[in-house]
Amino acid sequence: MDMKDLPKAYDAAAVEADIFKQWEESGAFDPDKLAELDPRYKGAKPYCIVLPPPNRTGTLHLGHAKMLAIEDLLIRFHRMLGKKTYWVPGTDHAALATQVKVEQLLIKEGFKDPRQELGREKFLERVRDFAQQSRDTIVEQCKRMGSSMDWKREKYTLDAERNLAVNTVFKMMFEDGLIERGYRVVNWDPTFQTTLSDDEVDHKDTQAELVTFTYDKDFPIAISTTRPETKFGDTGVAVHPDDKRYKKFVGKTLKANFCGKQITLKVIADAEVDPKFGTGALGVTPAHSLIDADLAEQHVLPMVQVIGQDGKMTAEAGKDFEGLTTIEARKKIVEILEKQGCVQKKETVPQSLLIAQRGESPVEQLPMRQWFVRVNKNFKLRNNTLGKWKKGDETTLKDLMSYAVESKQIKILPDNFEKIYFHWVNNLRDWCISRQIWFGHQIPVWYKGDETKVSNDQPGEGWTRDPDTLDTWFSSGLWTFSTLGWPDKEKWAKEREYHPTDVLETGYDILFFWVARMILMSTYVLGEIPFKDVYLHGLVRDEKGRKMSKSIGNVLDPLDLIPKYGTDAVRLSLVMGTSPGMDQKLSEDKIKDFRNFTNKLWNISRFVLTTTRSPHPPLIRGEDELSSAEGSTLADRWILSRYYGVQDRVTKLIGDYQFSQAGELLRDFTWGDFADWYLEISKVEKGKDAILWHILSRLLPLWHPFMPFVTEYIWSLIGYPQQLLVTSWPKSSYENDGKGEKEFEVIKNLITDLRRMRAEQSVEPAAFIKVAMVVDKETQKLIEENIAIVKQLARLEEVEFVSEVAKGWPTTVSGKTTVGLNLASGIDVAKEGEKIQKEIEQLKPYIKSTEAKLKNKEFVSKAPEKVVNDMKNKLEEAKAKLKALEERMKA
RNA sequence: GGACGUUUAGCUCAGUUGGUUAGAGCGUUCGAUUCACAUUCGAAAGGUCGCAGGUUCGAAUCCUGCAACGUCCACCA
């Protein structure tokens, strides 16, 4: 393309697809092919991030886009640094979530009970179809975001290799006694007919009627409940040990006729009971409350299940109630009790209802035979683990999880999430891992009579497999190593070097679900941490701070935004102005601003491409070092010094996960220094081609991790033979004494002052063409050397150096230098006077307080020398400025 | 009930070991405009850093208390 024909505005939509294709086809996303692209990758250090596998439940949202932007930034940065980078791509079957989604779709299609009507195999077929479609969309979206991962290496939480890993770990845990089957109270979702882990249950605030009553007319103790229907299952009454009212009953067994059912209740004393709540007595329902089940276990109370898996009353509730819904039963019971005169009080109280996170249906707690992971149970370690335990030592899963973070082997960013993590781990209960849904890893357990066997395949004639599947987090917990070939010895040996992975980047909302479980699995199975750093990003909210949701209609879809503003702008808007762990408000305006910046970079490059000599830059790396003749003017020294300062700081900031700050620094330099000053100067002072290229060819790599498309595109237009994404990260080579920067500030300030005066004097532009100034010899020389720049940027036609300031002519001050400016004509003296007066007023208190500070002996002796010296210099400057201003006022 | 955050310019947010007169972007106001970019350029206005104490030579930053908002966890039956 002829450079002159470059479009005025960067057209992202027109070039992104091609660029991505080139990246993909070059093999740069594949860690094993990097060495073919550049020998420096041979034997290079590995750098690995596993992509938090998106759920195959639909499409990606802005939260995913943010995740991809940050991870791709890290991957591209480390790839350019010369690491063998492996970003492991994949998707998650998301068991329950996906099945629920498909069931809902099928119901919309007209099915009443899709599972029953279709049967396991046909139903699963539908789920798999949906998951496949979703997967295709997700992969396409990831590519649109520019994510540099190699989908040829795609993994799936439900594919054969991951299944082998799941079954292997299940067997290990079973043999270690960590996985057990038990009859316990679990969370049960009657709508979807499955158990749920504690983390999959939410609370919803509602109003409920709290009824205070006695079980029958003769019962001596009154209790309160919002769920009278569960009272058929009561087997105890609990009171506080110190409660005098009930002391005489403690230890006794009482009988009652509760709405036609004979029940037997043991009165127990437990400190957990709050004597001030209600009557101070608590009806214990071991089968339908996790809390009561704990009480029952301690006091040995029997368990009577009165609510069935269908959410209706069981035969244990008596003939009159069997088959009623809980709501119907509740109503009937209260009516009967009222008739009997047993009800003492009815009041409305706030209550938090248990509901399922997926599907929002109410959750019942009831006893079932399920599989659990025992987190508090001691077991013998199979590995040397975390440097604390040796093979054969006894510990618990909980201890492993705590120690990995406690010992700082895993660092969580921001670190306040470490506290939250510990709190969660400490209160962790056994993890119910069996689900009664069909979509997922089927539990590898076989039964024959009373025998139980763990096996991938049917052990022989007459064995039947447990129909349940595993909690989705069981398989995603293995993700860091199941994706790297484990447990296949050969494959694992090949990719072993990537584990522990370097960073786990994800939203803080799945810290418990996923991050914690990966730590559990990796420390248990491998005896090592799954990742070194955890970077938690915040949620993306709408401009009003609300969660994006379809019902509010405030969802911004990445796929709508990308064609409109370009991927680079979308990515920048998700990274800039954010910090880890903090939620982000995003509006289209913000994306628009970054689209403007993308265009700015485009035009900077277009300027350099079209105005400098051809062929443009030395096209081989390392041959663009500057000769001593280049970079000899003040402006050159200034921009080089600025650039290298920025480069070093940006490199450090990205390494420290301070992406937003790194980006801001780069933007300030690119826009504020390079474009607005240096490029303008290059129009006046010729011979800057080498430096323009020197900086642009480094700026593009620095920007690449933030905005890969536009930078790569410009890079290719310039004609570099090597793709930008595998070009090495710029290194420091500039020796910088800082003098150029300081001297240039004098020129810069002078120009700024002149510009301001021109703007504020509201004079005709033509009147402001001649300036006479009084300066010391040194400064005069400096200005004379750069006179062309001053004239051009301040739009003056003439500059004159005079011996003294003429009467009535304003003066101004730049840095240390007093400059008298004589304007040729048309100055509004009154206006200028006002302005000066104001400045004086601002200056005086500062001088006063600074002088006082410097007189303070304690301050001078205790403060660092640098602070004191800086302050002294600054004070001198301020004093000089004040003096000048006062003289000007007089005039 | 417990824990953890947040509170800085009109808006969105930076401010990492306490240290010059607290920053950016957007917005606002004023001005510029053939010359890479109107997706542009220059300038200005705008903040007692939520409140009250404390530590310190020095606090947006550390400590204590309070308030508002938010999130997570637990659930009083």
Side-chain angles (χ1 to χ4, degrees), chain A residues 268-287:
Chain A
I268 56 170
D270 196 292
E272 285 294 302
V273 179
D274 178 2
K276 288 192 193 95
F277 185 88
T279 61
L282 161 68
V284 184
T285 322

Side-chain angles (χ1 to χ4, degrees), chain A residues 395-533:
Chain A
T395 187
T396 65
L397 292 173
K398 221 182 222 187
D399 283 343
L400 287 177
M401 292 169 88
S402 289
Y403 186 71
V405 178
E406 221 171 75
S407 63
K408 299 279 170 201
Q409 294 181 59
I410 297 174
K411 285 186 224 75
I412 302 180
L413 197 81
D415 58 8
N416 60 289
F417 278 96
E418 290 183 0
K419 279 186 205 164
I420 298 172
Y421 172 83
F422 289 131
H423 183 257
W424 183 83
V425 169
N426 289 336
N427 293 302
L428 190 61
R429 288 201 277 205
D430 285 348
W431 171 19
C432 177
I433 51 169
S434 44
R435 297 288 180 276
Q436 289 65 52
I437 57 171
W438 292 340
F439 190 51
H441 292 278
Q442 197 169 349
I443 290 180
V445 174
W446 302 78
Y447 307 108
K448 187 180 180 181
D450 288 340
E451 283 180 277
T452 299
K453 235 181 204 174
V454 176
S455 163
N456 296 353
D457 308 305
Q458 188 168 17
E461 276 295 300
W463 288 85
T464 51
R465 187 165 187 171
D466 194 312
D468 286 358
T469 51
L470 285 166
D471 181 7
T472 185
W473 301 106
F474 193 93
S475 51
S476 24
L478 313 176
W479 194 240
T480 60
F481 54 96
S482 71
T483 55
L484 296 176
W486 192 92
D488 184 290
K489 272 189 184 147
E490 225 171 276
K491 288 178 188 159
W492 176 233
K494 227 177 116 195
E495 301 198 324
R496 184 75 179 84
E497 60 175 327
Y498 294 110
H499 206 276
T501 62
D502 289 86
V503 193
L504 190 276
E505 193 280 338
T506 190
Y508 64 75
D509 50 332
I510 54 171
L511 176 66
F512 305 141
F513 289 114
W514 191 43
V515 179
R517 271 159 189 144
M518 280 194 286
I519 297 175
L520 184 158
M521 289 297 193
S522 181
T523 51
Y524 166 71
V525 175
L526 303 176
E528 70 184 40
I529 51 169
F531 30 71
K532 297 161 198 160
D533 295 332

